Amino acid sequence: MTFDATISTRISETRQALDEARSAGDDYLVDVRLGELESLARLAADHGVRVEGIAEALAAYGVTTPSVGVPLVDLRTQEPAAQS
């Protein structure tokens, strides 16, 4: 399996697990899955792998900025994000 396919599969699985955690009302697990999804999104962006809908999935939970120490990247365009 290629890196692109592997990262896409991991993102898909994590999004499913996030939905399941949300449906179960498990706030802690939602936070864990969001962290995983954010990390996978950055990894994909760092390697030029485009994953449809990831920015929207994160935004639905209010995740709009990367964590400290990670290069700011607009996941929708793969370009450096505008600094404000």
Side-chain angles (χ1 to χ4, degrees), residues 7-77:
I7 198 77
S8 293
T9 298
R10 294 272 319 273
I11 287 171
S12 178
E13 292 169 351
T14 301
R15 288 177 72 176
Q16 171 126 10
L18 174 60
D19 290 343
E20 290 170 3
R22 185 190 62 201
S23 293
D26 188 334
D27 293 337
Y28 174 75
L29 194 52
V30 166
D31 286 343
V32 169
R33 298 300 182 224
L34 277 172
E36 290 174 6
L37 188 57
E38 193 174 8
S39 294
L40 289 167
R42 269 195 218 87
L43 183 61
D46 287 349
H47 292 277
V49 178
R50 291 184 181 266
V51 180
E52 295 296 321
I54 190 110
E56 293 80 6
L58 288 169
Y61 289 90
V63 179
T64 57
T65 58
S67 299
V68 175
V70 176
L72 294 175
V73 174
D74 184 332
L75 297 174
R76 292 166 289 193
T77 64

